[in-house]
């Protein structure tokens, strides 16, 4: 029987890096995801369908294509990468930060979709009522819309985290598979499956990935139910 806690130092490094990358990817994309979701849910402007298509594009494109586009854009010779390095000292290519960026891009559609549906379910009359009491649009969103959409926000965060945790194609294309730097659980599993006699290590990491995903889903369901009870009395 495989002991999930009997991991080698290299396997623990991959697990810790995956959790770090997934957490950073989720938190970094959350403010932008909320803003884009609100824009798509409430906004009326030319090109809304195009924006929605761009947001959902990572779900349709092969992950390798997304990773290659990130490499072209944020690599050392891309249009964005040199600017970020020269002015802010930020490097994405072949770094764990690049893995977080790739995971954020791949999980962004799931984050936005969940939050958007939750915002669309909020009764606009409540927003209008807050406006009649003197609240500006931002304050109405912060005090009325966002709290009521909280279950959707939590669900979107968990989906983005889980997608980041399992990301492989875009990450390995953009930042390669460097042990201790960019080798996440998925990349480590792939490496172990290519090495004879490493089936046990691969199986341990598979078990860890499944366990983390299940815990994340259970926690998100608990938070969503608690938010629903507190806000809607369900």
């Amino acid at each position: 029987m495989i002991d999930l806690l009997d991991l080698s130092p290299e396997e623990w490094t991959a697990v810790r890096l995956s959790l770090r990358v997934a957490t950073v990817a989720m938190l970094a994309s959350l403010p932008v995801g909320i803003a884009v979701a609100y824009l798509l849910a409430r906004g009326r402007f030319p090109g809304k369908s195009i924006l929605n298509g761009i947001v959902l594009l990572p779900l349709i494109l092969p992950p390798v294509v997304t990773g290659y586009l990130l490499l072209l854009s944020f690599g050392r010779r891309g249009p964005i990468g040199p600017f970020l390095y020269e002015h802010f000292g930020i490097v994405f290519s072949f770094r764990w930060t690049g893995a977080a960026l790739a995971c954020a891009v791949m999980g962004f559609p799931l984050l936005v979709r969940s939050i958007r549906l939750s915002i669309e379910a909020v009764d606009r009359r409540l927003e209008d009522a807050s406006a009649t009491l003197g609240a500006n649009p931002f304050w109405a969103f912060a005090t009325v819309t966002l709290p009521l959409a909280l279950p959707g926000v939590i669900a979107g965060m968990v989906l983005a985290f889980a997608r980041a945790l399992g990301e492989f194609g875009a990450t390995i294309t953009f930042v390669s598979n460097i042990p201790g730097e960019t080798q996440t659980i998925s990349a480590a599993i792939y490496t172990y499956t290519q090495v004879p006699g490493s089936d046990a290590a691969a199986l341990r990491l598979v078990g860890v990935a499944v366990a983390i995903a299940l815990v994340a889903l259970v926690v998100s369901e608990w938070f969503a139910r608690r938010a629903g009870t507190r806000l809607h009395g369900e």
Side-chain angles (χ1 to χ4, degrees):
M1 184 176 179
I2 300 297
D3 186 356
L4 297 183
L5 297 180
D6 188 23
L7 302 179
S8 68
E10 293 78 11
E11 293 164 15
W12 276 117
T13 298
V15 171
R16 287 194 296 267
L17 180 62
S18 294
L19 292 174
R20 181 185 186 186
V21 166
T23 302
V24 170
M26 176 193 66
L27 294 178
S29 60
L30 182 60
V32 180
I34 292 175
V36 173
Y38 182 79
L39 190 63
L40 291 174
R42 293 288 190 256
R44 294 182 180 180
F45 55 91
K48 180 178 178 179
S49 298
I50 296 177
L51 176 60
N52 186 54
I54 293 174
V55 170
L56 297 178
L57 200 58
L59 289 179
I60 308 301
L61 288 176
V64 174
V65 174
T66 302
Y68 185 63
L69 291 176
L70 289 173
L71 182 61
L72 292 178
S73 301
F74 293 91
R76 292 296 182 90
R77 298 181 180 179
I80 305 176
F83 174 82
L84 293 176
Y85 176 71
E86 292 175 4
H87 292 82
F88 303 101
I90 299 175
V91 178
F92 285 113
S93 57
F94 307 108
R95 298 285 181 86
W96 77 268
T97 51
L101 175 61
C103 290
V105 171
M106 295 304 296
F108 193 71
L110 300 175
L111 177 70
V112 171
R113 177 101 179 136
S114 179
I115 298 175
R116 176 186 178 180
L117 293 175
S118 188
I119 291 176
E120 289 176 343
V122 175
D123 192 342
R124 288 197 177 190
R125 291 175 296 182
L126 298 176
E127 298 172 344
D128 295 337
S130 66
T132 60
L133 295 175
N136 58 47
F138 176 80
W139 189 247
F141 170 77
T143 58
V144 177
T145 309
L146 188 59
L148 292 175
L150 187 59
V153 174
I154 294 174
M157 291 173 64
V158 173
L159 288 174
F161 178 85
R163 182 66 183 87
L165 193 65
E167 169 52 34
F168 175 72
T171 302
I172 200 171
T173 304
F174 183 30
V175 297
S176 189
N177 184 7
I178 306 172
E181 182 66 36
T182 65
Q183 190 178 76
T184 59
I185 290 179
S186 299
I189 292 173
Y190 173 78
T191 299
Y192 287 133
T193 59
Q194 307 303 308
V195 179
S198 298
D199 293 340
L203 188 57
R204 283 194 296 269
L205 289 180
V206 168
V208 170
V210 171
I212 293 174
L214 286 176
V215 170
L217 291 174
V218 170
V219 171
S220 81
E221 180 68 17
W222 183 81
F223 273 111
R225 287 181 178 275
R226 185 175 181 181
T229 301
R230 181 169 59 86
L231 296 172
H232 306 294
E234 297 176 353

